[in-house]
């Protein structure tokens, strides 16, 4: 039977190229996701190892709120006095020790914008006394020695075109200054730390100006000869006592890796989601190819049955074919995965997120790609194979055209109807109750499967609907429509692949447009401020910048909004921390319960969705974990959170206890004197902030645009990835049409004989391709639009309005039609170039 | 036949060939399927083409109908030299001036009988002439079958639809390549009667390849082919006359 398998494959190799392509794209994403994850993991591991460098022990002050190490807003690092290093050096077990102070240092590019805006960390640290302990290695120049000198990482230097001798913009704790670059450095092979910009300051400047009040953030110790790690750690712990964490280099690396794990996971999961979509779309293609190829070989199969091959043997041989195609596709997919991973690195690189490491390809990745390829292909081939081998042996002897016994249409229809009904019910439940995203998700899957199962029934009416325009093309258009509905199941399966892509595209578009719409709504409705000062980096808006704005004439209020995280019950909530009076002045919150007054006395204001989730009303108390420990907060007010980007508000005094602890200020809302000329004051504020290029000032519309454009970027990336699933669907159309043309060779010969010109043949095939694409698009919209519309109603997303971006959706449909047109080109050319006589006399 | 006639615009001539040759393959494997055939097809004539298998009947017909291009020699249909035509013009010629009935698989399965019949007209974006269409339909007794798809028609009915399609454009010439070859005796005879009527009543010109002496006897004359040449011709054929000639040629 294996010879049969091989022969079958070779005979139809061209047809299987398309199947293999589908497998390649699907498994490519899987392999890409794995490779990307592995690369990141190893890259970061190497990075952390090289950062720890040659030290055997790392000393840090204990973080009093260690339980909240994952708070992204908690950037303050505990510090300790420089004398600690002297105490380490004094130990017999220590050969050398070095103190380090690390903080935020923002390099300003020659364009006046911070390097690596919004993205990677901006790190500054001190030049080492024991330079052999510094993990960084000089590439050019020397280490800084005065306050007017810095060294920068070679990656940033080359990205900005800077070298030794240049004066560059730098922001530490005040306005921009322009120190001289006296050296560039790298970390081992790396020019750059994961895209972070790193600045080395001379020791005194670092201690004075990195926000640590002259203290250190870490100390590194190397063991004396003959002292092992355990002895070293024990000695240091005894010497320093309480309040310090002493770790081995390996522990520090492990800890850092753990902290980065979730980030890597997010990327990998996102990629895997697209891999699953691509595989799902691809499986339709594979299913179709096998159905058509087997339909063309029915007589051969019947003959084999007649000469004694058992059903099981034929089934095995067909599945063997599938397994081989799957394995080859999977292996090539692994190779394609490298391109995906590399491409992702490049894309992230161009938007400023440079990641370390050469591609890491584990044997596991290749194994998984091949296994997934085999499993998907075999699964997709089972139904066509079962149908094909059910052919009675006598069919080999009959003269009439042989058709595979039809599948269980009724079972399929009933199942489809049940799924569809279930899906619609889930949608309705989501809409009418607060069932949430999970119900909708289950409903969506049921809808997809239901529509896919019933699509063969929908194809005819849809084709009739879409047939109007094609009839304008005359007989070619009519024939195209007839051909598209000739084998509804085949057309449906081909169209379903595109359906998935288009459903997701319309879904994402609706979600994004609605979110943007509500954000604009809120900004227009609730934001009373005339200008918003925003931090361009994770370092936040520095106090002097706030002071500078406050000093501008006709500026009435500068309301600083810090962000922090609080755990309420089992939920982690982002809180906005503001002065109550200022909050009232700049934000017009829609209070639905209680009053903001309670914030002044230590209360918290919650959005409706969070309050509902935690079953809280104004007047209740809620257990909260704050930066300074556990406490109980009275719920002062509940407000409609639509469009507000935090889940709760606290007064500055409540945050971190009486007096309020300093948190990073990301936004400051500025209110002008109502009498003043707003554009003049706005210009004056801009002028006041010229010295702070790390912050930007936006008016209301600009602020809305900034948020919207961030969302646009995200949507752009998602749509680009979805475009790949459309590409797979396009391959499906090419495949189905090419096979149909082969099947209809004789008919095309006849049409040519009775006077159909080549252009008419081409038009006929291309129109069929477009029809299939449009059927897919229509099915996709039928699914995606309701799903999107219901999704944005889910309360926890705080989306206040439903925006149907018809233009965008229309573009999607036009693109689908264009994809169809493109998919039709090759099969159309093939059909048109058939030799009339040969075609007429083909079997 | 009058091989001497060379007039290109003679309206009494539906088609003619001069030294028509069709060669397949090259060098050793060369097959001269049609070998220097010169003949004329008068307008309104009904010609049967006979000959053993492999004698070149189909290649001759294909060249005459503009389905294939000769290796050398000339083919004219209604005075038009086919060699001068590009693929598009040749296609238009097939559509408008030639009708064709094949042995089998004559119809597009997705179209109804009526749609199949008017297919050449639709391809040329022309409307059928209702009187002519009715005449053809009536003469072929297809009136009640027009809305059916080919799969719902018997073999004889399918061939009649094919004849109707061949006639609907009022072509200068209708070609048939064993049009009765796949039919049972009764259906075959019905079809032959129809072809005869279309010559007598509708004034059509027909050239038909056949293996069947009875079919050949319904024509006005018979060409006998052997090894790509017209080796004999019989006017006013009878079944016995045809059989005699075949026997004579075989010996
Ligand atoms: N497309 C072709 N390619 C190669 N040889 C051909 C082709 N068509 C016909 N022939 C050759 O031409 C000869 C006559 O053609 P054939 O169709 O068999 O004649 P007939 O219709 O009289 O049976 C045969 O020897 C056949 O092999
Ligand atoms: Mg023949």
């Amino acid at each position: 039977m294996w010879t049969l398998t091989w022969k079958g494959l070779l005979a139809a190799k061209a047809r299987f190229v398309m199947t293999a392509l589908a497998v390649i794209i699907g498994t490519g994403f899987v392999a890409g996701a794995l490779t990307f994850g592995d690369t990141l993991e190893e890259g970061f591991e190497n990075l952390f190892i090289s950062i720890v460098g040659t030290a055997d022990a790392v000393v840090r002050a204990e973080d009093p709120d260690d339980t909240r190490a994952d708070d992204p807003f908690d950037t303050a690092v505990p510090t300790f006095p420089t004398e600690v290093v002297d105490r380490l050096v004094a130990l017999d077990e220590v050969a050398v020790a070095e103190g380090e102070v690390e903080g935020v240092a923002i390099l300003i590019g020659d364009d006046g914008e911070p390097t690596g805006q919004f993205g990677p960390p901006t790190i500054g640290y001190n030049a080492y006394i024991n330079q052999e302990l510094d993990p960084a290695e000089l590439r050019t120049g020397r280490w800084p020695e005065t306050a007017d000198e810095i060294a920068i990482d070679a990656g940033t230097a080359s990205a900005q075109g800077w070298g030794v001798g240049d004066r560059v913009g730098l922001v530490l704790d005040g306005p921009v200054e322009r120190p001289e670059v006296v050296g560039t450095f790298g970390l081992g092979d790396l020019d750059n730390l994961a895209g972070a910009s790193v600045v080395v300051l001379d020791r005194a400047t670092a201690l004075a100006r990195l926000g640590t009040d002259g203290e250190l953030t870490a100390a590194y110790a190397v063991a004396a000869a003959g002292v092992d790690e355990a002895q070293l750690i024990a000695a240091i712990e005894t010497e320093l006592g309480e309040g310090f964490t002493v770790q081995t280099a390996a522990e520090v690396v492990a800890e850092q890796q753990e902290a980065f794990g979730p980030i890597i996971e997010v990327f990998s999961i996102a990629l895997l989601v697209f891999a699953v979509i691509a595989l799902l779309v691809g499986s339709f293609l594979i299913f179709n190819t096998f159905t058509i190829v087997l339909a063309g070989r029915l007589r051969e199969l019947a003959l084999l049955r007649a000469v004694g091959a058992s059903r099981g043997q034929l089934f095995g041989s067909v599945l063997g074919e599938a397994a081989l195609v799957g394995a080859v596709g999977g292996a090539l997919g692994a190779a394609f995965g490298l391109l995906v991973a590399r491409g992702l690195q490049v894309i992230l690189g161009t938007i400023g997120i440079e990641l370390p490491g050469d591609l890491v390809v584990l044997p596991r990745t290749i194994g998984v790609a091949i296994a997934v390829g085999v499993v998907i292909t075999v699964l997709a081939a089972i139904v066509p194979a079962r149908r094909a081998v059910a052919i009675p042996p006598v069919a080999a002897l009959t003269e009439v055209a042989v058709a595979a016994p039809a599948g269980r249409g009724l079972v399929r229809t009933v199942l489809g109807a049940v799924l569809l009904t279930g899906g619609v019910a889930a949608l309705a439940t989501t809409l009418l109750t607060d069932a949430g995203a999970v119900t909708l998700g289950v409903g969506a899957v049921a809808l997809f499967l239901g529509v896919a199962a019933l699509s063969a029934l929908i194809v005819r009416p849809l084709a009739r609907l879409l047939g109007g325009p094609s009839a304008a093309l005359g007989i070619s258009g009519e024939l195209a429509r007839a051909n598209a509905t000739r084998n509804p199941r085949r057309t449906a399966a081909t169209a379903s692949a595109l359906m998935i892509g288009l459903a997701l595209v319309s879904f994402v578009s609706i979600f994004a447009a609605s979110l943007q719409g509500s954000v604009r709504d809120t900004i227009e409705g609730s934001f009373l401020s005339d200008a918003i000062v925003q931090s361009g980096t994770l370092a936040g808006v520095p106090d002097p910048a706030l002071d500078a704005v406050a000093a501008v004439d006709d500026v009435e209020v500068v309301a600083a909004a810090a962000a922090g995280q609080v755990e309420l019950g089992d939920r982690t909530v982002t809180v906005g921390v503001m002065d109550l009076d200022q909050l009232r002045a700049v934000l017009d919150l829609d209070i639905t319960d209680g009053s903001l007054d309670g914030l002044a006395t230590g209360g918290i204001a919650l959005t409706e969705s969070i309050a509902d989730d935690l079953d809280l009303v104004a007047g209740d108390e809620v257990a909260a974990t704050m930066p300074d420990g556990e406490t109980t907060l009275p719920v002062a007010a509940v407000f409609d959170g639509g469009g507000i980007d935090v889940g709760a508000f606290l007064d500055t005094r409540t945050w971190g206890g009486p007096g309020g602890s300093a948190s990073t200020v990301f936004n400051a809302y500025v209110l002008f004197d109502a009498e003043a000329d707003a554009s003049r004051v706005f210009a004056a504020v801009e002028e006041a902030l010229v010295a702070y290029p790390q912050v930007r000032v936006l008016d209301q519309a600009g602020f809305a645009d900034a948020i919207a454009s961030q969302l646009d970027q995200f949507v752009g990336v998602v749509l680009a990835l979805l475009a790949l699933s459309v590409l797979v669907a396009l391959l499906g159309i090419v495949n189905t049409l090419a096979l149909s043309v082969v099947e209809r060779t004789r008919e095309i010969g006849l049409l040519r004989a009775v006077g159909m010109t080549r252009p008419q043949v081409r038009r006929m095939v291309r129109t069929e391709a477009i029809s299939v694409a449009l059927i897919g698009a229509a099915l996709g919209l039928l699914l995606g639009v309701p799903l999107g519309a219901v999704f944005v109603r889910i309360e926890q997303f705080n989306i206040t309005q439903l925006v149907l971006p018809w233009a965008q959706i229309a573009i999607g449909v036009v693109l689908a039609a264009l994809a169809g047109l493109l998919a039709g080109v090759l099969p159309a050319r093939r059909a048109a170039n058939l030799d009339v006589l040969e075609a007429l006399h083909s079997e | 036949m009058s091989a001497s006639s060379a007039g290109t615009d003679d309206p009494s001539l539906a088609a003619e060939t001069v030294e028509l040759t069709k060669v397949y393959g090259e060098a050793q494997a060369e097959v001269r399927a049609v070998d220097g055939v010169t003949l004329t097809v008068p307008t309104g004539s009904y010609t049967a083409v006979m000959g053993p298998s492999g004698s070149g009947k189909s290649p001759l017909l294909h060249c005459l109908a503009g389905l294939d291009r000769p290796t050398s020699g000339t083919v004219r249909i209604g005075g038009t030299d086919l060699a001068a035509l590009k693929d598009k013009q040749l296609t238009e010629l097939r559509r408008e001036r030639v009708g064709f009935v094949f042995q089998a698989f004559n119809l597009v399965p997705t179209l109804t009988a009526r749609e199949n019949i008017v297919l050449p007209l639709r391809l040329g974006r022309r409307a059928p002439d209702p009187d002519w269409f009715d005449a053809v339909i009536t003469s072929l007794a297809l009136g009640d079958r027009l809305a059916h798809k080919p799969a719902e028609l018997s073999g004889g009915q399918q061939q009649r639809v094919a004849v109707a399609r061949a006639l609907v454009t009022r072509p200068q010439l209708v070609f048939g390549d064993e049009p009765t070859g796949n039919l049972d005796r009764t259906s075959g005879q019905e079809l032959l009667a129809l072809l005869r009527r279309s010559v007598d009543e509708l004034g059509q010109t027909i050239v038909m390849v056949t293996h069947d002496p009875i079919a050949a006897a319904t024509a006005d004359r018979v060409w006998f082919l052997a090894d790509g040449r017209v080796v004999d011709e019989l006017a006013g054929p009878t079944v016995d006359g045809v059989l005699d000639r075949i026997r004579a040629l075989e010996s």
Side-chain angles (χ1 to χ4, degrees), chain A residues 564-566 575 577 626-627 650-657 660-661 663:
Chain A
Q565 264 188 358
V566 173
V575 290
V577 181
M626 304 263 283
L650 279 175
D651 188 84
T652 343
R653 286 159 293 185
T654 317
W655 184 253
S661 84
S663 259

Side-chain angles (χ1 to χ4, degrees), chain A residues 790-813:
Chain A
V790 174
F791 187 77
V792 300
R793 296 283 161 86
I794 294 177
E795 214 176 311
Q796 71 230 45
F797 299 116
N798 278 333
I799 295 175
T800 50
Q801 53 176 244
L802 168 64
V803 178
L804 294 178
W806 288 118
Q808 218 165 328
I809 292 173
I811 290 172
V813 174

Side-chain angles (χ1 to χ4, degrees), chain A residues 22-23 25-34 268-282 372 376 721 725 728:
Chain A
V23 179
I25 294 181
T27 55
F29 265 85
V30 176
L34 293 174
S268 300
I269 288 176
L271 269 184
L272 283 175
V273 166
F274 288 104
V276 168
I277 294 172
L279 281 173
L280 191 68
V281 172
V372 169
I376 281 287
L721 286 168
S725 74
V728 179

Side-chain angles (χ1 to χ4, degrees), chain B residues 55-246:
Chain B
S55 57
K57 303 179 296 291
S58 295
L60 172 65
L61 215 64
H62 293 153
C63 289
L64 262 176
L67 279 168
D68 206 355
R69 289 187 186 270
T71 311
S72 66
T74 310
V75 178
R76 289 198 195 88
I77 289 184
T80 308
D81 185 350
L82 300 197
L85 301 183
K86 297 205 170 62
D87 181 79
K88 180 167 182 278
Q89 295 161 312
L90 205 58
T91 305
E92 280 163 5
L93 176 126
R94 287 200 301 269
R95 188 160 78 200
E96 283 155 18
R97 293 166 64 183
V98 166
F100 220 112
V101 182
F102 302 101
Q103 183 173 348
F105 204 81
N106 265 301
L107 305 179
V108 178
T110 46
L111 299 181
T112 62
R114 174 192 287 278
E115 286 166 340
N116 263 293
I117 292 170
V118 298
L119 182 60
L121 294 170
R122 296 285 318 274
L123 285 169
R125 288 180 176 274
R126 284 196 293 151
D129 170 354
D131 294 340
W132 177 252
F133 182 81
D134 288 343
V136 169
I137 297 303
T138 315
S139 127
L140 294 176
L142 279 169
D144 56 340
R145 286 285 177 272
L146 288 178
H148 290 59
K149 291 268 173 74
E152 298 154 359
L153 299 175
S154 72
Q157 286 166 340
Q158 287 182 23
Q159 289 303 82
R160 268 157 40 205
V161 172
V163 172
R165 184 198 53 218
L167 293 177
V168 78
T169 55
R170 287 183 195 257
Q172 262 159 334
L173 260 168
V174 173
F175 295 99
D177 195 348
E178 303 186 39
T180 57
N182 267 11
L183 300 182
D184 59 64
R185 181 156 290 276
T186 323
S187 311
Q189 261 158 12
E190 269 173 33
L191 193 76
L192 288 169
L194 289 172
L195 290 174
R196 181 72 249 175
R197 277 228 305 281
S198 70
V199 174
D200 297 341
E201 293 170 15
L202 307 175
Q204 280 299 329
T205 311
I206 296 180
V207 177
M208 170 185 73
V209 167
T210 182
H211 271 109
D212 179 4
I214 300 172
T218 61
D220 298 334
R221 56 183 184 156
V222 184
W223 295 334
F224 294 93
L225 258 66
D227 296 331
R229 295 168 188 276
V230 177
V231 291
D232 203 350
E233 187 185 339
L234 178 66
T238 59
V239 177
D240 288 340
V242 170
L243 283 171
D244 285 346
R245 291 291 172 103
I246 292 175

